[in-house]
Amino acid sequence: MPESKRHKIALMGYDLSTGGAERSMANISFVLHSLNYDVHLVIFNDRIDCPFQGKIHIIGEQRKENESFLTRYTYKIRRFLRLKSFFKKEKLDVVIDFRFRENTLQELLIYKLIYKGIRIQTVRSGAYYFYLFRNKWLSKYIFKNFDRIICISDKQQDRIKQDLGFKNLTVIPNPTNPERIKQLQDEPFEIDFPYIVAVGRLTPEKQFDLLVEAYSKTTLVQSGVKLVILGTGEEEQKIRQTIDKVNLAESVILEGYQSNSFKYMKNALFLVLSSKYEGLPMVLLECLSCGTPVVAFDCFSGPSEIVNHRENGLLTEDQNFEQLAKDIDLLFKDKELYQTCKANALSSVAKFRPEHIAHKWEVLLAELLSQTNK
């Protein structure tokens, strides 16, 4: 990059909460800052729960519950005008969008009237249409002309290429944040019983209710090894009902939202991922970075590009909850297998360290910026 100019990059997101996509955006702000870019994080609400690097810009405003249609509509207009004003003032070189598609008309207006310079869309989920559009024609109309679509897994890239025929695809995985993990994983910890852990928003796609049922069929229950679930969300009541149904109120602990999930990962026997679909699950990368093995569904997409079966954890046949229960038992009972997976956990995610991911971003951005300067 020429030293005479620090290129300005905007990272667009809804907020900086503790979800996987939001943590990825925050981690990438550190990566781009390390490459000497002038980083601006543009978010639509003021929730900031994870560290970031760069200048923050909050485009939205405080909202009230049960707003009228007119109030919501007026709010969206004000937000749109603020965003337009921001882009006009800052004269950005690159915009990298981490948002999922919330409103088709709104997105069309943003893409056509606001985004200038190099346009990059990231796709954070195996269900790629959340980040592009469900309508394939509309996805092609808008995103085929973007400078780049960033996929976070090879399988994700293959699926988009197959479904949409895009050629403007590049795979750049999520980076980990090893310094933050190392700092937080050893904080004081009060849990004094053995447990396995599951982490994520309590939403239908995480299937924590079915995980509770699978756990109830394992020998961990009789052995006193509990299941601790971190997160909040719409499915909490359903999960509690499942806990009551299998009579495991003493064995399944809903810990709610935790600002430091790393100490839970560090002290767990292992983590279980039971999702219906993923992108490149941050919880797997972070848990392995804590030196803790994992058991994960081989769902689309991501786990198979992180979990090396029987080396740093177990990769379970996708959506086979009976097999998931057996694999949870296996990793608990087979002490030699467990020690092997635990010993390999940290080193297995070395390729996701920020310096390796930074190189991929450096190459891509240098290429795109050189094309615009011709």
Side-chain angles (χ1 to χ4, degrees):
M1 185 195 309
E3 294 183 359
S4 58
K5 181 181 179 181
R6 282 186 79 204
H7 291 289
K8 297 177 73 170
I9 297 182
L11 307 183
M12 296 286 300
Y14 288 113
D15 57 40
L16 287 173
S17 60
T18 56
E22 293 80 7
R23 297 199 307 280
S24 296
M25 175 175 160
N27 289 346
I28 289 171
S29 74
F30 284 94
V31 165
L32 296 178
H33 185 268
S34 74
L35 296 173
N36 201 35
Y37 288 106
D38 184 6
V39 180
H40 297 255
L41 296 97
V42 184
I43 56 177
F44 282 16
N45 66 64
D46 61 357
R47 182 172 179 181
I48 301 173
D49 296 323
C50 49
F52 61 90
Q53 186 71 65
K55 186 175 181 181
I56 199 82
H57 305 269
I58 302 173
I59 300 298
E61 58 192 52
Q62 286 291 105
R63 305 287 299 278
K64 296 179 181 179
E65 294 184 6
N66 302 318
E67 293 175 332
S68 68
F69 173 80
L70 180 60
T71 300
R72 292 196 302 270
Y73 184 73
T74 303
Y75 164 79
K76 289 182 178 180
I77 292 176
R78 287 200 300 265
R79 187 175 67 179
F80 178 85
L81 293 175
R82 287 194 192 102
L83 189 63
K84 194 172 189 296
S85 175
F86 168 78
F87 270 79
K88 183 178 180 180
K89 175 185 176 183
E90 294 296 336
K91 296 180 172 58
L92 299 152
D93 298 294
V94 182
V95 55
I96 306 175
D97 199 334
F98 292 80
R99 298 172 308 124
F100 53 85
R101 305 282 69 81
E102 196 173 49
N103 179 285
T104 300
L105 178 59
Q106 169 187 281
E107 299 306 327
L108 289 172
L109 290 173
I110 289 174
Y111 296 144
K112 292 297 184 181
L113 301 180
I114 294 181
Y115 281 3
K116 306 296 181 184
I118 294 170
R119 299 177 301 170
I120 298 173
Q121 175 64 46
T122 68
V123 180
R124 321 305 302 175
S125 170
Y128 68 80
Y129 42 80
F130 289 143
Y131 289 85
L132 304 180
F133 288 109
R134 285 186 178 274
N135 184 293
K136 292 185 179 181
W137 180 88
L138 194 56
S139 281
K140 292 177 181 179
Y141 174 68
I142 295 295
F143 294 106
K144 194 172 185 179
N145 296 318
F146 264 46
D147 295 276
R148 202 59 53 100
I149 306 296
I150 300 298
C151 304
I152 54 177
S153 74
D154 292 330
K155 286 186 176 180
Q156 190 187 67
Q157 177 182 243
D158 293 343
R159 176 69 60 84
I160 296 173
K161 187 181 295 183
Q162 176 184 338
D163 287 359
L164 300 176
F166 285 180
K167 297 181 180 179
N168 56 341
L169 303 169
T170 296
V171 176
I172 302 182
N174 297 326
T176 57
N177 191 336
E179 291 185 3
R180 176 169 167 77
I181 292 172
K182 186 176 181 180
Q183 175 188 358
L184 295 178
Q185 67 181 4
D186 293 323
E187 281 193 349
F189 193 64
E190 297 179 356
I191 290 182
D192 59 359
F193 50 79
Y195 65 94
I196 60 174
V197 68
V199 182
R201 292 191 176 114
L202 307 186
T203 54
E205 62 269 19
K206 299 300 182 183
Q207 305 186 120
F208 288 137
D209 57 324
L210 299 179
L211 172 59
V212 170
E213 291 187 354
Y215 162 78
S216 72
K217 299 172 184 176
T218 70
T219 60
L220 278 70
V221 178
Q222 292 74 33
S223 301
V225 177
K226 298 186 180 184
L227 168 61
V228 174
I229 300 176
L230 309 184
T232 58
E234 64 201 73
E235 291 277 290
E236 181 173 342
Q237 186 59 34
K238 184 177 181 180
I239 296 168
R240 291 191 182 279
Q241 289 172 353
T242 303
I243 293 171
D244 291 339
K245 184 179 76 172
V246 295
N247 196 27
L248 287 180
E250 298 298 320
S251 298
V252 181
I253 313 297
L254 298 186
E255 282 283 272
Y257 164 73
Q258 297 294 323
S259 59
N260 179 5
S261 60
F262 305 128
K263 62 183 180 181
Y264 285 86
M265 295 177 181
K266 173 72 174 181
N267 291 282
L269 293 175
F270 51 89
L271 176 141
V272 183
L273 184 141
S274 56
S275 300
K276 189 176 297 183
Y277 54 81
E278 285 285 350
L280 190 76
M282 285 300 298
V283 293
L284 295 184
L285 295 176
E286 290 166 345
C287 191
L288 291 166
S289 296
C290 292
T292 301
V294 299
V295 177
F297 271 150
D298 186 13
C299 64
F300 187 87
S301 66
S304 65
E305 296 174 39
I306 299 172
V307 183
N308 303 312
H309 188 59
R310 299 183 68 91
E311 292 183 16
N312 62 352
L314 298 179
L315 202 59
T316 302
E317 180 184 2
D318 189 23
Q319 305 310 304
N320 186 338
F321 279 91
E322 182 178 344
Q323 185 61 47
L324 183 66
K326 292 178 181 178
D327 284 346
I328 290 172
D329 254 341
L330 175 62
L331 195 56
F332 172 62
K333 290 179 177 179
D334 190 329
K335 303 306 180 185
E336 183 177 350
L337 173 64
Y338 177 80
Q339 290 303 324
T340 296
C341 292
K342 187 170 180 62
N344 292 332
L346 179 58
S347 61
S348 71
V349 291
K351 64 182 178 181
F352 299 102
R353 289 182 60 87
E355 58 267 28
H356 300 303
I357 306 305
H359 177 69
K360 295 178 183 292
W361 278 106
E362 184 177 29
V363 170
L364 172 66
L365 291 170
E367 173 194 335
L368 296 178
L369 287 165
S370 67
Q371 291 173 358
T372 62
N373 294 329
K374 288 182 179 178

